[in-house]
Amino acid sequence: MTTTTSDQQHELHVRKRRNLTWVVALGFFGLVFDGYDLVVYGTVLPGFLSDPSRIGPLTPAQGGVLGSYALVGVLVGALLTGTVSDVLGRRRLMLLAYAWFAAAMGFTALAGSATTLGIGRFAAGLGIGALLATTGALVAEYAPPGRKNLFNALTYSGIAFGSTLSALLAILLLDSIGWRGMFLLGALPLVTLFPLAVVKLPESAAWLQARGRHEEAEALAARTGIVLTDDQAASAAGQEETTGTGRSGFAGLFSGGNAAPALLLGFTSVCCLLLVYALNTWLPELMGRAGFSTKGSLSFLLVLNGSAVVGQLIGSRLADRFGPKPVVATAFLLGAVAIGLLTVQAPLGVLLLFVAVAGVGTSGTQTLIYGFVANHFRTTVRGAAVAWCAGFGRLGGIGGPLLGGLLIGAGLALNSTFFVLAALALVGSVLTLLVPRTVRGGR
């Protein structure tokens, strides 16, 4: 009997590990293309500004507006997904997001004008928004207790990895494949990731339980090795209704004790994404104006995003140990200091070090924020919470390219531009510290 029980436990552990691996891997590679899209426009923007024959004449301000179209799409896609992900499920929305995003990137590669390019960028943003809003919820519902921030960071490190890959491919391939080829690479998920996810991506047993579909949840839990928690069972049985916090989706997110942390985390995400998109869109141009060559400027982009991968993995382990709030606040503070130090006269190696720390305090911090949100709220509002963070936060993503374009177009000194961005990082740190402790039933 002991041997049988031991064998059963081992088999349960193997199934759980296998399915968690698939969830994290598919989420990671999906977000690689989100990160790729984040940076690819910044890599081709200097060419658009200097060569009107590509998509027509562009001023820096117009280039910033065009860069924001994708972010508007992310906002719309994430918020629309937030209204249905806690009702329709995680899996089908992730599959739709993979296919939609890839098709939109292919369309963008064929654009013949700034208007067509903008439409393609907006459409791609819709898919990215849906993916961002759903991935964090699914990972949180498969990750083991005490390691949720780590697995969230492993998954969302795909964004920084994709951003780094985009900058690297631009350095190596942009001259040979052109801007159309750079966008066409973003269509690869349609023939790679999507068919694999159809076969391997599981639904969330916790979501099924929270929707009252107990038999399906138990069957899926048995197949995947997931152990359903008492919190999920209570949510499904409606026991939280008596506390006034049993509503699902956005209705539950903005009621009771959920509202204050949801608003604060939303504005924290706005701050962080404003920094992320301002730097990723305009850093090559800013460093070019500081006297660096085109490939040298792209190297700053490579370091900015490469450092975020390492920083968020270290930060996630600290978040699992000490809680995400102090870690996120500290990361913002480090980012503020590093961005401010970009104004000093220093050797190239020192400047690259400052950029690396800035990457930890911007792109790396956004990943920690997603983990903060995904594990702060209960199952029935988790999808809406991540969607809110990804969607509402995209107001900052929209504002980032616009802010950079306005500051540069207005002739603001290079140092002043960096000081403005450093001040925004300080605001993000303060907002993080104001977030109340985890609400009842949040884990």
Side-chain angles (χ1 to χ4, degrees):
M1 179 66 70
T2 302
T3 302
T4 302
T5 302
S6 178
D7 289 343
Q8 290 174 340
Q9 290 177 341
H10 175 71
E11 176 62 23
L12 189 69
H13 176 72
V14 169
R15 276 180 281 163
K16 182 176 181 179
R17 184 173 57 188
R18 182 191 307 125
N19 283 279
L20 175 60
T21 299
W22 276 114
V23 168
V24 171
L26 290 169
F28 171 86
F29 284 108
L31 293 174
V32 163
F33 288 95
D34 173 20
Y36 182 88
D37 180 79
L38 165 65
V39 170
V40 69
Y41 179 72
T43 68
V44 302
L45 178 58
F48 288 158
L49 294 174
S50 63
D51 185 359
S53 68
R54 299 186 181 187
I55 57 170
L58 281 181
T59 65
Q62 290 170 333
V65 172
L66 188 60
S68 295
Y69 287 172
L71 285 308
V72 176
V74 174
L75 184 152
V76 175
L79 294 182
L80 285 177
T81 300
T83 65
V84 298
S85 67
D86 289 315
V87 176
L88 297 181
R90 321 299 192 205
R91 181 178 185 274
R92 68 181 68 178
L93 287 171
M94 288 182 69
L95 293 175
L96 175 62
Y98 292 148
W100 182 283
F101 165 77
M105 287 293 278
F107 173 84
T108 304
L110 303 176
S113 67
T115 300
T116 310
L117 184 76
I119 293 172
R121 297 287 291 151
F122 174 79
L126 291 174
I128 291 172
L131 187 61
L132 285 169
T134 313
T135 300
L138 185 63
V139 171
E141 289 157 4
Y142 269 90
R147 302 180 72 189
K148 291 183 179 293
N149 284 289
L150 173 61
F151 281 103
N152 176 82
L154 287 170
T155 306
Y156 276 90
S157 66
I159 298 176
F161 183 86
S163 300
T164 305
L165 181 65
S166 183
L168 180 60
L169 290 176
I171 293 172
L172 298 175
L173 300 177
L174 181 57
D175 290 341
S176 57
I177 67 175
W179 70 267
R180 295 185 188 278
M182 291 297 295
F183 280 109
L184 193 59
L185 289 174
L188 287 176
L190 196 60
V191 295
T192 55
L193 189 63
F194 175 74
L196 184 61
V198 169
V199 177
K200 293 296 186 179
L201 186 68
E203 182 54 272
S204 165
W207 173 79
L208 290 170
Q209 184 80 309
R211 298 303 300 172
R213 295 160 61 175
H214 306 295
E215 292 184 2
E216 294 176 73
E218 291 171 1
L220 180 60
R223 290 199 306 272
T224 60
I226 296 298
V227 178
L228 294 171
T229 67
D230 292 338
D231 173 60
Q232 292 154 0
S235 175
Q239 293 176 15
E240 291 183 349
E241 293 290 345
T242 59
T243 70
T245 62
R247 302 166 73 185
S248 65
F250 284 126
L253 183 63
F254 292 104
S255 62
N258 290 320
L263 288 170
L264 284 166
L265 286 167
F267 279 104
T268 300
S269 185
V270 168
C271 238
C272 193
L273 287 171
L274 197 155
L275 289 166
V276 169
Y277 280 87
L279 288 171
N280 278 286
T281 301
W282 290 107
L283 188 60
E285 179 71 15
L286 289 170
M287 301 316 290
R289 293 183 179 221
F292 292 93
S293 66
T294 299
K295 288 192 175 181
S297 299
L298 289 173
S299 296
F300 283 96
L301 206 57
L302 183 65
V303 171
L304 179 77
N305 291 285
S307 64
V309 177
V310 177
Q312 64 198 20
L313 293 176
I314 296 173
S316 67
R317 292 300 292 155
L318 295 174
D320 279 329
R321 182 173 181 181
F322 301 108
K325 183 161 79 170
V327 176
V328 171
T330 302
F332 264 126
L333 185 59
L334 288 174
V337 173
I339 294 170
L341 287 174
L342 290 175
T343 62
V344 305
Q345 295 291 329
L348 176 61
V350 175
L351 288 176
L352 287 172
L353 176 62
F354 294 157
V355 169
V357 177
V360 173
T362 54
S363 295
T365 303
Q366 183 61 33
T367 296
L368 298 177
I369 292 172
Y370 286 136
F372 193 173
V373 173
N375 296 298
H376 191 84
F377 299 93
R378 67 180 190 278
T379 303
T380 52
V381 299
R382 183 174 291 123
V386 178
W388 165 252
C389 180
F392 182 72
R394 249 46 187 195
L395 290 175
I398 295 167
L402 290 173
L403 177 63
L406 290 173
L407 293 177
I408 294 172
L412 194 67
L414 189 63
N415 286 358
S416 299
T417 300
F418 284 127
F419 283 138
V420 170
L421 297 178
L424 288 169
L426 288 175
V427 172
S429 183
V430 172
L431 288 173
T432 303
L433 292 173
L434 293 175
V435 176
R437 65 186 179 87
T438 307
V439 296
R440 180 181 182 273
R443 300 252 178 203

